[in-house]
Amino acid sequence: MLAAHKLDITRGDRRLFGDITLELRPGTLLLVTGSNGSGKTSLLRALCGLLLPSAGEVRWQNENIRSLREEYWRHLAYIGHSNALKDELSAAENLGVLCALSGVQTGPEQQRQALADFGLTGRERLPAKALSQGQRRRTTLARLSLSSTLPLWILDEPFAALDNAAVSHMQSVVGAHLANGGMVVMTTHQEAPIAAPATRELHLEERGR
């Protein structure tokens, strides 16, 4: 359902990688690995349609995502390095905004439960600026608990700043999504195995520059 054909990304005069071809089907976890600067985040942004590759194309259900645009994004949950939280809004309010922007319909009780599942009970009404970095990250990730209807998740270092309990819960959330036929593209530096019907790895350091 998601495919990339001969992707090439250049930053300035530096070629990060080239000739990336992949295909992702339901139930598949794609782990993107490589050293810092190898282009992992750039690849994820290209797969989201947020970065235009120098060459090649990304296709969703056999259509170029450049022509699909918003229609493609309605099927996608993307979480990057930034938590994308508004400091003055509470954790619950931020979660509601993130879900609404993704077209995910949720209610206050669902949002409260998603935050509780990520260990944020009692902090739902705190403004984001009062939360620790780990709590801010968990607020952002709680969106995934409410995004099972979005088939494709693209996650950039989702385990960063999480404690062991949050890592374990995140593994369960991603594993359940894959078991239900979802697809996940993910970068991570941490050892956090995820149960998946199918797992593939793309190591960017092995690509030409």
Side-chain angles (χ1 to χ4, degrees), residues 3-11 14-21 39 41-59 64-67 72:
H5 181 67
K6 293 187 177 299
L7 282 189
D8 188 302
I9 291 183
T10 301
R11 181 181 296 162
R14 181 186 173 212
R15 186 189 191 208
L16 293 180
F17 56 77
D19 200 29
I20 295 290
T21 295
T41 293
S42 295
L43 174 60
L44 266 56
R45 289 178 59 81
L47 293 178
C48 289
L50 299 175
L51 185 154
L52 183 65
S54 309
E57 65 176 8
V58 178
R59 302 178 73 85
N64 193 310
I65 64 171
R66 292 183 63 190
S67 61
Y72 171 57

PDB file of all heavy atoms in Angstrom, residues 3-11 14-21 39 41-59 64-67 72:
ATOM      1  N   ALA A   3       4.649   2.600  -1.168  1.00  0.00           N
ATOM      2  CA  ALA A   3       5.817   2.198  -1.954  1.00  0.00           C
ATOM      3  C   ALA A   3       6.654   3.423  -2.287  1.00  0.00           C
ATOM      4  O   ALA A   3       6.127   4.523  -2.468  1.00  0.00           O
ATOM      5  CB  ALA A   3       5.382   1.489  -3.234  1.00  0.00           C
ATOM      6  N   ALA A   4       7.955   3.228  -2.308  1.00  0.00           N
ATOM      7  CA  ALA A   4       8.881   4.266  -2.758  1.00  0.00           C
ATOM      8  C   ALA A   4       9.727   3.671  -3.876  1.00  0.00           C
ATOM      9  O   ALA A   4      10.149   2.511  -3.792  1.00  0.00           O
ATOM     10  CB  ALA A   4       9.772   4.737  -1.606  1.00  0.00           C
ATOM     11  N   HIS A   5       9.950   4.465  -4.916  1.00  0.00           N
ATOM     12  CA  HIS A   5      10.691   3.969  -6.070  1.00  0.00           C
ATOM     13  C   HIS A   5      11.857   4.890  -6.375  1.00  0.00           C
ATOM     14  O   HIS A   5      11.685   6.070  -6.692  1.00  0.00           O
ATOM     15  CB  HIS A   5       9.768   3.875  -7.290  1.00  0.00           C
ATOM     16  CG  HIS A   5      10.441   3.352  -8.515  1.00  0.00           C
ATOM     17  ND1 HIS A   5      10.896   2.047  -8.617  1.00  0.00           N
ATOM     18  CD2 HIS A   5      10.750   3.962  -9.682  1.00  0.00           C
ATOM     19  CE1 HIS A   5      11.447   1.875  -9.799  1.00  0.00           C
ATOM     20  NE2 HIS A   5      11.379   3.019 -10.464  1.00  0.00           N
ATOM     21  N   LYS A   6      13.065   4.359  -6.212  1.00  0.00           N
ATOM     22  CA  LYS A   6      14.307   5.051  -6.567  1.00  0.00           C
ATOM     23  C   LYS A   6      14.392   6.457  -5.980  1.00  0.00           C
ATOM     24  O   LYS A   6      14.695   7.430  -6.668  1.00  0.00           O
ATOM     25  CB  LYS A   6      14.471   5.092  -8.091  1.00  0.00           C
ATOM     26  CG  LYS A   6      14.690   3.713  -8.711  1.00  0.00           C
ATOM     27  CD  LYS A   6      15.016   3.812 -10.183  1.00  0.00           C
ATOM     28  CE  LYS A   6      15.304   2.440 -10.789  1.00  0.00           C
ATOM     29  NZ  LYS A   6      16.473   1.776 -10.157  1.00  0.00           N
ATOM     30  N   LEU A   7      14.131   6.552  -4.669  1.00  0.00           N
ATOM     31  CA  LEU A   7      14.206   7.844  -3.992  1.00  0.00           C
ATOM     32  C   LEU A   7      15.655   8.296  -3.858  1.00  0.00           C
ATOM     33  O   LEU A   7      16.539   7.517  -3.512  1.00  0.00           O
ATOM     34  CB  LEU A   7      13.597   7.761  -2.597  1.00  0.00           C
ATOM     35  CG  LEU A   7      12.082   7.767  -2.436  1.00  0.00           C
ATOM     36  CD1 LEU A   7      11.736   7.896  -0.963  1.00  0.00           C
ATOM     37  CD2 LEU A   7      11.448   8.861  -3.244  1.00  0.00           C
ATOM     38  N   ASP A   8      15.849   9.571  -4.097  1.00  0.00           N
ATOM     39  CA  ASP A   8      17.171  10.187  -3.949  1.00  0.00           C
ATOM     40  C   ASP A   8      16.946  11.508  -3.220  1.00  0.00           C
ATOM     41  O   ASP A   8      16.079  12.285  -3.599  1.00  0.00           O
ATOM     42  CB  ASP A   8      17.794  10.427  -5.331  1.00  0.00           C
ATOM     43  CG  ASP A   8      19.246  10.876  -5.248  1.00  0.00           C
ATOM     44  OD1 ASP A   8      19.516  11.905  -4.601  1.00  0.00           O
ATOM     45  OD2 ASP A   8      20.092  10.217  -5.855  1.00  0.00           O
ATOM     46  N   ILE A   9      17.708  11.734  -2.146  1.00  0.00           N
ATOM     47  CA  ILE A   9      17.574  12.985  -1.409  1.00  0.00           C
ATOM     48  C   ILE A   9      18.944  13.623  -1.245  1.00  0.00           C
ATOM     49  O   ILE A   9      19.903  12.987  -0.797  1.00  0.00           O
ATOM     50  CB  ILE A   9      16.920  12.766  -0.028  1.00  0.00           C
ATOM     51  CG1 ILE A   9      15.447  12.367  -0.220  1.00  0.00           C
ATOM     52  CG2 ILE A   9      17.016  14.024   0.834  1.00  0.00           C
ATOM     53  CD1 ILE A   9      14.677  12.184   1.056  1.00  0.00           C
ATOM     54  N   THR A  10      19.018  14.890  -1.634  1.00  0.00           N
ATOM     55  CA  THR A  10      20.253  15.669  -1.546  1.00  0.00           C
ATOM     56  C   THR A  10      19.996  16.888  -0.689  1.00  0.00           C
ATOM     57  O   THR A  10      18.959  17.552  -0.825  1.00  0.00           O
ATOM     58  CB  THR A  10      20.714  16.107  -2.945  1.00  0.00           C
ATOM     59  OG1 THR A  10      20.933  14.939  -3.753  1.00  0.00           O
ATOM     60  CG2 THR A  10      22.002  16.910  -2.868  1.00  0.00           C
ATOM     61  N   ARG A  11      20.911  17.157   0.229  1.00  0.00           N
ATOM     62  CA  ARG A  11      20.829  18.342   1.081  1.00  0.00           C
ATOM     63  C   ARG A  11      22.019  19.228   0.750  1.00  0.00           C
ATOM     64  O   ARG A  11      23.161  18.877   1.018  1.00  0.00           O
ATOM     65  CB  ARG A  11      20.837  17.949   2.547  1.00  0.00           C
ATOM     66  CG  ARG A  11      20.740  19.130   3.506  1.00  0.00           C
ATOM     67  CD  ARG A  11      20.778  18.669   4.934  1.00  0.00           C
ATOM     68  NE  ARG A  11      19.620  17.835   5.259  1.00  0.00           N
ATOM     69  CZ  ARG A  11      19.578  17.028   6.315  1.00  0.00           C
ATOM     70  NH1 ARG A  11      20.629  16.926   7.115  1.00  0.00           N
ATOM     71  NH2 ARG A  11      18.490  16.321   6.552  1.00  0.00           N
ATOM     72  N   ARG A  14      25.301  17.767  -0.741  1.00  0.00           N
ATOM     73  CA  ARG A  14      25.567  16.445  -0.186  1.00  0.00           C
ATOM     74  C   ARG A  14      24.417  15.485  -0.467  1.00  0.00           C
ATOM     75  O   ARG A  14      23.260  15.771  -0.121  1.00  0.00           O
ATOM     76  CB  ARG A  14      25.780  16.535   1.324  1.00  0.00           C
ATOM     77  CG  ARG A  14      26.095  15.188   1.966  1.00  0.00           C
ATOM     78  CD  ARG A  14      26.158  15.312   3.467  1.00  0.00           C
ATOM     79  NE  ARG A  14      26.294  14.013   4.094  1.00  0.00           N
ATOM     80  CZ  ARG A  14      25.806  13.697   5.270  1.00  0.00           C
ATOM     81  NH1 ARG A  14      25.126  14.588   5.958  1.00  0.00           N
ATOM     82  NH2 ARG A  14      25.974  12.497   5.781  1.00  0.00           N
ATOM     83  N   ARG A  15      24.718  14.393  -1.085  1.00  0.00           N
ATOM     84  CA  ARG A  15      23.713  13.379  -1.351  1.00  0.00           C
ATOM     85  C   ARG A  15      23.581  12.479  -0.115  1.00  0.00           C
ATOM     86  O   ARG A  15      24.511  11.777   0.253  1.00  0.00           O
ATOM     87  CB  ARG A  15      24.123  12.545  -2.562  1.00  0.00           C
ATOM     88  CG  ARG A  15      23.055  11.546  -3.020  1.00  0.00           C
ATOM     89  CD  ARG A  15      23.623  10.634  -4.073  1.00  0.00           C
ATOM     90  NE  ARG A  15      22.595   9.826  -4.725  1.00  0.00           N
ATOM     91  CZ  ARG A  15      22.836   8.639  -5.260  1.00  0.00           C
ATOM     92  NH1 ARG A  15      24.044   8.112  -5.209  1.00  0.00           N
ATOM     93  NH2 ARG A  15      21.857   7.973  -5.855  1.00  0.00           N
ATOM     94  N   LEU A  16      22.414  12.524   0.532  1.00  0.00           N
ATOM     95  CA  LEU A  16      22.216  11.720   1.730  1.00  0.00           C
ATOM     96  C   LEU A  16      22.077  10.248   1.379  1.00  0.00           C
ATOM     97  O   LEU A  16      22.665   9.382   2.027  1.00  0.00           O
ATOM     98  CB  LEU A  16      20.966  12.187   2.478  1.00  0.00           C
ATOM     99  CG  LEU A  16      21.025  13.582   3.085  1.00  0.00           C
ATOM    100  CD1 LEU A  16      19.720  13.912   3.788  1.00  0.00           C
ATOM    101  CD2 LEU A  16      22.193  13.704   4.058  1.00  0.00           C
ATOM    102  N   PHE A  17      21.274   9.961   0.386  1.00  0.00           N
ATOM    103  CA  PHE A  17      21.108   8.586  -0.083  1.00  0.00           C
ATOM    104  C   PHE A  17      20.455   8.609  -1.456  1.00  0.00           C
ATOM    105  O   PHE A  17      19.908   9.634  -1.886  1.00  0.00           O
ATOM    106  CB  PHE A  17      20.276   7.732   0.891  1.00  0.00           C
ATOM    107  CG  PHE A  17      18.920   8.286   1.206  1.00  0.00           C
ATOM    108  CD1 PHE A  17      17.874   8.175   0.305  1.00  0.00           C
ATOM    109  CD2 PHE A  17      18.681   8.918   2.410  1.00  0.00           C
ATOM    110  CE1 PHE A  17      16.617   8.672   0.584  1.00  0.00           C
ATOM    111  CE2 PHE A  17      17.421   9.422   2.702  1.00  0.00           C
ATOM    112  CZ  PHE A  17      16.396   9.302   1.781  1.00  0.00           C
ATOM    113  N   GLY A  18      20.521   7.498  -2.124  1.00  0.00           N
ATOM    114  CA  GLY A  18      19.904   7.396  -3.441  1.00  0.00           C
ATOM    115  C   GLY A  18      19.431   5.994  -3.736  1.00  0.00           C
ATOM    116  O   GLY A  18      19.813   5.033  -3.066  1.00  0.00           O
ATOM    117  N   ASP A  19      18.551   5.912  -4.713  1.00  0.00           N
ATOM    118  CA  ASP A  19      18.060   4.631  -5.222  1.00  0.00           C
ATOM    119  C   ASP A  19      17.369   3.787  -4.140  1.00  0.00           C
ATOM    120  O   ASP A  19      17.522   2.573  -4.091  1.00  0.00           O
ATOM    121  CB  ASP A  19      19.211   3.848  -5.854  1.00  0.00           C
ATOM    122  CG  ASP A  19      18.707   2.763  -6.809  1.00  0.00           C
ATOM    123  OD1 ASP A  19      17.630   2.954  -7.392  1.00  0.00           O
ATOM    124  OD2 ASP A  19      19.382   1.732  -6.944  1.00  0.00           O
ATOM    125  N   ILE A  20      16.603   4.463  -3.263  1.00  0.00           N
ATOM    126  CA  ILE A  20      15.847   3.745  -2.240  1.00  0.00           C
ATOM    127  C   ILE A  20      14.524   3.264  -2.841  1.00  0.00           C
ATOM    128  O   ILE A  20      13.718   4.060  -3.307  1.00  0.00           O
ATOM    129  CB  ILE A  20      15.544   4.638  -1.026  1.00  0.00           C
ATOM    130  CG1 ILE A  20      16.831   5.038  -0.305  1.00  0.00           C
ATOM    131  CG2 ILE A  20      14.574   3.948  -0.057  1.00  0.00           C
ATOM    132  CD1 ILE A  20      17.500   3.907   0.426  1.00  0.00           C
ATOM    133  N   THR A  21      14.332   1.980  -2.832  1.00  0.00           N
ATOM    134  CA  THR A  21      13.084   1.384  -3.298  1.00  0.00           C
ATOM    135  C   THR A  21      12.553   0.465  -2.211  1.00  0.00           C
ATOM    136  O   THR A  21      13.305  -0.359  -1.681  1.00  0.00           O
ATOM    137  CB  THR A  21      13.296   0.600  -4.603  1.00  0.00           C
ATOM    138  OG1 THR A  21      13.669   1.526  -5.646  1.00  0.00           O
ATOM    139  CG2 THR A  21      12.024  -0.131  -5.028  1.00  0.00           C
ATOM    140  N   GLY A  39      20.393  10.366   7.004  1.00  0.00           N
ATOM    141  CA  GLY A  39      19.198  10.697   6.240  1.00  0.00           C
ATOM    142  C   GLY A  39      17.927  10.031   6.709  1.00  0.00           C
ATOM    143  O   GLY A  39      16.919  10.042   5.990  1.00  0.00           O
ATOM    144  N   THR A  41      15.698  10.843   9.132  1.00  0.00           N
ATOM    145  CA  THR A  41      14.579  11.771   9.263  1.00  0.00           C
ATOM    146  C   THR A  41      14.148  12.292   7.900  1.00  0.00           C
ATOM    147  O   THR A  41      12.943  12.442   7.633  1.00  0.00           O
ATOM    148  CB  THR A  41      14.960  12.938  10.187  1.00  0.00           C
ATOM    149  OG1 THR A  41      15.131  12.441  11.523  1.00  0.00           O
ATOM    150  CG2 THR A  41      13.883  14.015  10.197  1.00  0.00           C
ATOM    151  N   SER A  42      15.091  12.559   7.030  1.00  0.00           N
ATOM    152  CA  SER A  42      14.753  13.039   5.682  1.00  0.00           C
ATOM    153  C   SER A  42      13.933  11.998   4.925  1.00  0.00           C
ATOM    154  O   SER A  42      12.978  12.343   4.218  1.00  0.00           O
ATOM    155  CB  SER A  42      16.025  13.370   4.902  1.00  0.00           C
ATOM    156  OG  SER A  42      16.716  14.454   5.490  1.00  0.00           O
ATOM    157  N   LEU A  43      14.278  10.732   5.074  1.00  0.00           N
ATOM    158  CA  LEU A  43      13.505   9.684   4.416  1.00  0.00           C
ATOM    159  C   LEU A  43      12.077   9.658   4.950  1.00  0.00           C
ATOM    160  O   LEU A  43      11.110   9.590   4.177  1.00  0.00           O
ATOM    161  CB  LEU A  43      14.167   8.326   4.623  1.00  0.00           C
ATOM    162  CG  LEU A  43      13.373   7.122   4.089  1.00  0.00           C
ATOM    163  CD1 LEU A  43      13.140   7.238   2.586  1.00  0.00           C
ATOM    164  CD2 LEU A  43      14.075   5.816   4.423  1.00  0.00           C
ATOM    165  N   LEU A  44      11.919   9.731   6.274  1.00  0.00           N
ATOM    166  CA  LEU A  44      10.576   9.711   6.849  1.00  0.00           C
ATOM    167  C   LEU A  44       9.765  10.908   6.384  1.00  0.00           C
ATOM    168  O   LEU A  44       8.573  10.774   6.058  1.00  0.00           O
ATOM    169  CB  LEU A  44      10.657   9.678   8.377  1.00  0.00           C
ATOM    170  CG  LEU A  44      10.609   8.282   9.028  1.00  0.00           C
ATOM    171  CD1 LEU A  44      11.683   7.372   8.494  1.00  0.00           C
ATOM    172  CD2 LEU A  44      10.682   8.384  10.547  1.00  0.00           C
ATOM    173  N   ARG A  45      10.379  12.071   6.309  1.00  0.00           N
ATOM    174  CA  ARG A  45       9.661  13.260   5.849  1.00  0.00           C
ATOM    175  C   ARG A  45       9.281  13.138   4.376  1.00  0.00           C
ATOM    176  O   ARG A  45       8.209  13.605   3.965  1.00  0.00           O
ATOM    177  CB  ARG A  45      10.501  14.507   6.104  1.00  0.00           C
ATOM    178  CG  ARG A  45      10.605  14.867   7.578  1.00  0.00           C
ATOM    179  CD  ARG A  45      11.497  16.084   7.806  1.00  0.00           C
ATOM    180  NE  ARG A  45      11.027  17.259   7.113  1.00  0.00           N
ATOM    181  CZ  ARG A  45      10.058  18.058   7.544  1.00  0.00           C
ATOM    182  NH1 ARG A  45       9.453  17.804   8.701  1.00  0.00           N
ATOM    183  NH2 ARG A  45       9.692  19.121   6.847  1.00  0.00           N
ATOM    184  N   ALA A  46      10.123  12.484   3.607  1.00  0.00           N
ATOM    185  CA  ALA A  46       9.782  12.253   2.193  1.00  0.00           C
ATOM    186  C   ALA A  46       8.607  11.287   2.082  1.00  0.00           C
ATOM    187  O   ALA A  46       7.713  11.468   1.244  1.00  0.00           O
ATOM    188  CB  ALA A  46      10.990  11.715   1.440  1.00  0.00           C
ATOM    189  N   LEU A  47       8.584  10.261   2.926  1.00  0.00           N
ATOM    190  CA  LEU A  47       7.482   9.304   2.904  1.00  0.00           C
ATOM    191  C   LEU A  47       6.176   9.951   3.344  1.00  0.00           C
ATOM    192  O   LEU A  47       5.088   9.508   2.958  1.00  0.00           O
ATOM    193  CB  LEU A  47       7.801   8.104   3.806  1.00  0.00           C
ATOM    194  CG  LEU A  47       8.954   7.201   3.363  1.00  0.00           C
ATOM    195  CD1 LEU A  47       9.188   6.086   4.386  1.00  0.00           C
ATOM    196  CD2 LEU A  47       8.695   6.608   1.973  1.00  0.00           C
ATOM    197  N   CYS A  48       6.272  11.007   4.146  1.00  0.00           N
ATOM    198  CA  CYS A  48       5.080  11.741   4.584  1.00  0.00           C
ATOM    199  C   CYS A  48       4.619  12.774   3.560  1.00  0.00           C
ATOM    200  O   CYS A  48       3.516  13.312   3.678  1.00  0.00           O
ATOM    201  CB  CYS A  48       5.366  12.478   5.886  1.00  0.00           C
ATOM    202  SG  CYS A  48       5.553  11.434   7.324  1.00  0.00           S
ATOM    203  N   GLY A  49       5.479  13.094   2.616  1.00  0.00           N
ATOM    204  CA  GLY A  49       5.156  14.151   1.677  1.00  0.00           C
ATOM    205  C   GLY A  49       5.535  15.530   2.171  1.00  0.00           C
ATOM    206  O   GLY A  49       5.112  16.543   1.603  1.00  0.00           O
ATOM    207  N   LEU A  50       6.356  15.598   3.223  1.00  0.00           N
ATOM    208  CA  LEU A  50       6.792  16.879   3.774  1.00  0.00           C
ATOM    209  C   LEU A  50       8.117  17.343   3.189  1.00  0.00           C
ATOM    210  O   LEU A  50       8.528  18.480   3.418  1.00  0.00           O
ATOM    211  CB  LEU A  50       6.934  16.768   5.298  1.00  0.00           C
ATOM    212  CG  LEU A  50       5.647  16.407   6.047  1.00  0.00           C
ATOM    213  CD1 LEU A  50       5.944  16.211   7.528  1.00  0.00           C
ATOM    214  CD2 LEU A  50       4.578  17.472   5.846  1.00  0.00           C
ATOM    215  N   LEU A  51       8.780  16.495   2.451  1.00  0.00           N
ATOM    216  CA  LEU A  51      10.060  16.817   1.830  1.00  0.00           C
ATOM    217  C   LEU A  51      10.045  16.248   0.413  1.00  0.00           C
ATOM    218  O   LEU A  51       9.713  15.079   0.214  1.00  0.00           O
ATOM    219  CB  LEU A  51      11.212  16.230   2.653  1.00  0.00           C
ATOM    220  CG  LEU A  51      12.646  16.550   2.239  1.00  0.00           C
ATOM    221  CD1 LEU A  51      13.567  16.463   3.456  1.00  0.00           C
ATOM    222  CD2 LEU A  51      13.155  15.576   1.174  1.00  0.00           C
ATOM    223  N   LEU A  52      10.393  17.077  -0.542  1.00  0.00           N
ATOM    224  CA  LEU A  52      10.386  16.653  -1.935  1.00  0.00           C
ATOM    225  C   LEU A  52      11.717  15.976  -2.272  1.00  0.00           C
ATOM    226  O   LEU A  52      12.778  16.599  -2.136  1.00  0.00           O
ATOM    227  CB  LEU A  52      10.172  17.861  -2.850  1.00  0.00           C
ATOM    228  CG  LEU A  52      10.073  17.576  -4.351  1.00  0.00           C
ATOM    229  CD1 LEU A  52       8.835  16.735  -4.646  1.00  0.00           C
ATOM    230  CD2 LEU A  52      10.031  18.884  -5.125  1.00  0.00           C
ATOM    231  N   PRO A  53      11.708  14.715  -2.681  1.00  0.00           N
ATOM    232  CA  PRO A  53      12.970  14.042  -3.031  1.00  0.00           C
ATOM    233  C   PRO A  53      13.585  14.645  -4.289  1.00  0.00           C
ATOM    234  O   PRO A  53      12.881  15.225  -5.129  1.00  0.00           O
ATOM    235  CB  PRO A  53      12.540  12.587  -3.256  1.00  0.00           C
ATOM    236  CG  PRO A  53      11.099  12.656  -3.610  1.00  0.00           C
ATOM    237  CD  PRO A  53      10.540  13.817  -2.849  1.00  0.00           C
ATOM    238  N   SER A  54      14.895  14.509  -4.400  1.00  0.00           N
ATOM    239  CA  SER A  54      15.591  14.989  -5.587  1.00  0.00           C
ATOM    240  C   SER A  54      15.219  14.165  -6.815  1.00  0.00           C
ATOM    241  O   SER A  54      15.240  14.666  -7.942  1.00  0.00           O
ATOM    242  CB  SER A  54      17.115  14.927  -5.363  1.00  0.00           C
ATOM    243  OG  SER A  54      17.461  15.564  -4.158  1.00  0.00           O
ATOM    244  N   ALA A  55      14.902  12.911  -6.563  1.00  0.00           N
ATOM    245  CA  ALA A  55      14.492  12.012  -7.648  1.00  0.00           C
ATOM    246  C   ALA A  55      13.638  10.910  -7.050  1.00  0.00           C
ATOM    247  O   ALA A  55      13.686  10.646  -5.848  1.00  0.00           O
ATOM    248  CB  ALA A  55      15.711  11.421  -8.363  1.00  0.00           C
ATOM    249  N   GLY A  56      12.861  10.260  -7.885  1.00  0.00           N
ATOM    250  CA  GLY A  56      12.032   9.160  -7.439  1.00  0.00           C
ATOM    251  C   GLY A  56      10.674   9.635  -6.950  1.00  0.00           C
ATOM    252  O   GLY A  56      10.353  10.831  -6.986  1.00  0.00           O
ATOM    253  N   GLU A  57       9.855   8.713  -6.473  1.00  0.00           N
ATOM    254  CA  GLU A  57       8.518   9.054  -6.027  1.00  0.00           C
ATOM    255  C   GLU A  57       8.047   8.121  -4.917  1.00  0.00           C
ATOM    256  O   GLU A  57       8.552   7.019  -4.753  1.00  0.00           O
ATOM    257  CB  GLU A  57       7.524   8.993  -7.195  1.00  0.00           C
ATOM    258  CG  GLU A  57       7.333   7.609  -7.771  1.00  0.00           C
ATOM    259  CD  GLU A  57       6.271   7.591  -8.864  1.00  0.00           C
ATOM    260  OE1 GLU A  57       5.792   8.664  -9.290  1.00  0.00           O
ATOM    261  OE2 GLU A  57       5.916   6.477  -9.305  1.00  0.00           O
ATOM    262  N   VAL A  58       7.067   8.622  -4.150  1.00  0.00           N
ATOM    263  CA  VAL A  58       6.401   7.836  -3.116  1.00  0.00           C
ATOM    264  C   VAL A  58       4.962   7.643  -3.569  1.00  0.00           C
ATOM    265  O   VAL A  58       4.303   8.597  -4.007  1.00  0.00           O
ATOM    266  CB  VAL A  58       6.440   8.548  -1.749  1.00  0.00           C
ATOM    267  CG1 VAL A  58       5.702   7.727  -0.691  1.00  0.00           C
ATOM    268  CG2 VAL A  58       7.879   8.811  -1.321  1.00  0.00           C
ATOM    269  N   ARG A  59       4.469   6.411  -3.445  1.00  0.00           N
ATOM    270  CA  ARG A  59       3.116   6.100  -3.890  1.00  0.00           C
ATOM    271  C   ARG A  59       2.309   5.471  -2.755  1.00  0.00           C
ATOM    272  O   ARG A  59       2.842   4.692  -1.968  1.00  0.00           O
ATOM    273  CB  ARG A  59       3.158   5.155  -5.103  1.00  0.00           C
ATOM    274  CG  ARG A  59       3.925   5.720  -6.282  1.00  0.00           C
ATOM    275  CD  ARG A  59       3.982   4.743  -7.454  1.00  0.00           C
ATOM    276  NE  ARG A  59       2.711   4.624  -8.135  1.00  0.00           N
ATOM    277  CZ  ARG A  59       2.289   5.433  -9.090  1.00  0.00           C
ATOM    278  NH1 ARG A  59       3.050   6.446  -9.488  1.00  0.00           N
ATOM    279  NH2 ARG A  59       1.122   5.255  -9.673  1.00  0.00           N
ATOM    280  N   ASN A  64       0.718   8.541  -6.803  1.00  0.00           N
ATOM    281  CA  ASN A  64       1.772   9.415  -6.309  1.00  0.00           C
ATOM    282  C   ASN A  64       1.214  10.322  -5.211  1.00  0.00           C
ATOM    283  O   ASN A  64       0.175  10.970  -5.396  1.00  0.00           O
ATOM    284  CB  ASN A  64       2.317  10.277  -7.460  1.00  0.00           C
ATOM    285  CG  ASN A  64       3.611  10.983  -7.087  1.00  0.00           C
ATOM    286  OD1 ASN A  64       3.705  11.626  -6.050  1.00  0.00           O
ATOM    287  ND2 ASN A  64       4.608  10.867  -7.936  1.00  0.00           N
ATOM    288  N   ILE A  65       1.890  10.361  -4.049  1.00  0.00           N
ATOM    289  CA  ILE A  65       1.364  11.133  -2.923  1.00  0.00           C
ATOM    290  C   ILE A  65       1.351  12.633  -3.222  1.00  0.00           C
ATOM    291  O   ILE A  65       0.601  13.383  -2.586  1.00  0.00           O
ATOM    292  CB  ILE A  65       2.133  10.857  -1.611  1.00  0.00           C
ATOM    293  CG1 ILE A  65       3.595  11.315  -1.710  1.00  0.00           C
ATOM    294  CG2 ILE A  65       2.023   9.393  -1.231  1.00  0.00           C
ATOM    295  CD1 ILE A  65       4.327  11.248  -0.374  1.00  0.00           C
ATOM    296  N   ARG A  66       2.125  13.089  -4.188  1.00  0.00           N
ATOM    297  CA  ARG A  66       2.119  14.510  -4.544  1.00  0.00           C
ATOM    298  C   ARG A  66       0.780  14.908  -5.147  1.00  0.00           C
ATOM    299  O   ARG A  66       0.352  16.055  -5.004  1.00  0.00           O
ATOM    300  CB  ARG A  66       3.262  14.823  -5.499  1.00  0.00           C
ATOM    301  CG  ARG A  66       4.645  14.711  -4.872  1.00  0.00           C
ATOM    302  CD  ARG A  66       5.725  15.106  -5.861  1.00  0.00           C
ATOM    303  NE  ARG A  66       5.598  16.495  -6.265  1.00  0.00           N
ATOM    304  CZ  ARG A  66       6.298  17.034  -7.272  1.00  0.00           C
ATOM    305  NH1 ARG A  66       7.143  16.281  -7.974  1.00  0.00           N
ATOM    306  NH2 ARG A  66       6.141  18.303  -7.583  1.00  0.00           N
ATOM    307  N   SER A  67       0.129  13.984  -5.810  1.00  0.00           N
ATOM    308  CA  SER A  67      -1.184  14.279  -6.378  1.00  0.00           C
ATOM    309  C   SER A  67      -2.303  14.029  -5.366  1.00  0.00           C
ATOM    310  O   SER A  67      -3.356  14.667  -5.420  1.00  0.00           O
ATOM    311  CB  SER A  67      -1.422  13.443  -7.638  1.00  0.00           C
ATOM    312  OG  SER A  67      -1.399  12.054  -7.337  1.00  0.00           O
ATOM    313  N   TYR A  72      -4.031  11.604   1.089  1.00  0.00           N
ATOM    314  CA  TYR A  72      -3.019  10.711   1.653  1.00  0.00           C
ATOM    315  C   TYR A  72      -2.849  10.977   3.139  1.00  0.00           C
ATOM    316  O   TYR A  72      -2.799  10.050   3.955  1.00  0.00           O
ATOM    317  CB  TYR A  72      -1.702  10.909   0.912  1.00  0.00           C
ATOM    318  CG  TYR A  72      -0.508  10.220   1.523  1.00  0.00           C
ATOM    319  CD1 TYR A  72      -0.494   8.842   1.731  1.00  0.00           C
ATOM    320  CD2 TYR A  72       0.621  10.953   1.890  1.00  0.00           C
ATOM    321  CE1 TYR A  72       0.611   8.206   2.293  1.00  0.00           C
ATOM    322  CE2 TYR A  72       1.728  10.325   2.437  1.00  0.00           C
ATOM    323  CZ  TYR A  72       1.724   8.959   2.636  1.00  0.00           C
ATOM    324  OH  TYR A  72       2.819   8.338   3.192  1.00  0.00           O
TER     325      TYR A  72
END
